[in-house]
Every structure is written in C-alpha cells, then in structure tokens.
C-alpha cells in the first residue's frame, strides 16, 4: 500500500514538473520568436533607410516614371544595380526596387543565377511591403 501511494505521489510530482517544463518551453519559444521578429524588422528598417539614403546621395532629384522606366533625378533605376550591390556587400541584405509590383532592379538572383528583374512581387510582398509600407 505504501509503495503504491509513493508511486502515485511520484507520478503526480513528475506530471507537475513536466507541465511546468512544457509551459516554460512554450513561453520562452514564443518570446524568442517575438524578439527575433522585432530584430528582423529593425534590420529591415535600417537597410531600407540606408538604401534610400545612398540613392538620394548618389542620384539627387525626385522620383518619377516615364512609361515603364523609373527615374531618380536624371538616372534610370531600371537595371541599375550599383546601390543594391553595395547594400548586399555591406549588409548581406537582398534589395529590390519595384515600379508598381514589377521588379525593375534587384540583387536577388533567380534559379539560373540571373537577376530577377521583370518579375512580379509575390502576393505576400505586394500586400506587406507595397500596400502596407
């Protein structure tokens, strides 16, 4: 009888410890995900700000379009990779410039190793970046 009672007590204690461990595992995993997401958004904001600053410094003037061409000042941005490649070298970030939802300049390569210009933004990118900023 005593042996059976001690097994039950030990089982209950072990179940309690397991429940607490599961709770803390889920809690900390959730907090780490929130933290990494926050850090990722801060990095994205920093790279975006860096890119816009570099473009403003290198290509003074207003943004404008003429047909399917995107200009910054007098410089055509379509297929202009200078700033994007600098950002990739310095930060490791992939950068794309869109005209509406079409890539006109990017440092993203397709499966053949060519720049993915002339391709449409994915639904997620279009919704999150282009529509919501």
């Amino acid at each position: 009888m005593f042996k059976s009672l001690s097994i039950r007590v030990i089982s209950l204690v072990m179940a309690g410890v397991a429940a607490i461990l599961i709770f803390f595992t889920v809690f900390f995993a959730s907090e780490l995900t929130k933290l990494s997401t926050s850090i990722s958004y801060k990095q994205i904001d920093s790279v975006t700000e860096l890119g816009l600053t570099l473009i403003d410094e290198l290509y003074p003037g207003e943004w404008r379009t003429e047909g399917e061409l995107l200009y910054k000042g007098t410089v055509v941005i379509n297929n202009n990779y200078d700033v994007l490649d600098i950002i990739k070298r310095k930060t490791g970030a992939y950068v794309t410039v869109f005209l509406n939802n079409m890539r006109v300049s990017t440092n993203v390569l397709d499966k053949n190793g060519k720049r993915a210009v002339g391709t449409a933004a994915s639904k997620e990118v279009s919704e999150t970046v282009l529509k919501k900023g």
Side-chain angles (χ1 to χ4, degrees):
M1 171 114 170
F2 179 70
K3 189 174 187 180
S4 174
L5 180 61
S6 60
I7 289 174
R8 283 188 211 166
V9 169
I10 291 171
S11 295
L12 284 173
V13 169
M14 294 296 285
V17 169
I20 290 169
L21 286 174
I22 290 170
F23 170 78
F24 280 114
T25 300
V26 170
F27 174 77
F28 285 119
S30 171
E31 291 302 309
L32 284 174
T33 299
K34 288 179 193 175
L35 179 62
S36 67
T37 300
S38 172
I39 291 169
S40 294
Y41 283 130
K42 286 179 184 175
Q43 288 173 329
I44 290 169
D45 289 345
S46 294
V47 170
T48 301
E49 189 174 321
L50 169 67
L52 291 172
T53 300
L54 279 171
I55 289 171
D56 281 341
E57 290 291 321
L58 293 172
Y59 314 127
E62 297 298 315
W63 289 97
R64 64 185 168 85
T65 60
E66 287 184 17
E68 294 181 7
L69 295 178
L70 177 63
Y71 286 83
K72 178 68 167 80
T74 60
V75 177
V76 176
I77 298 300
N78 298 55
N79 301 311
N80 184 329
Y81 311 118
D82 296 337
V83 172
L84 308 184
D85 290 343
I86 291 169
I87 293 169
K88 177 74 168 99
R89 275 195 312 272
K90 297 295 183 183
T91 68
Y94 292 98
V95 183
T96 297
V97 177
F98 291 95
L99 176 58
N100 299 316
N101 77 330
M102 190 66 57
R103 285 180 183 89
V104 295
S105 187
T106 187
N107 61 16
V108 176
L109 304 179
D110 65 16
K111 61 184 175 188
N112 298 319
K114 299 204 185 309
R115 293 182 192 258
V117 293
T119 57
S122 69
K123 186 176 181 177
E124 295 82 9
V125 169
S126 187
E127 183 66 30
T128 304
V129 178
L130 302 177
K131 289 182 183 171
K132 295 180 181 176

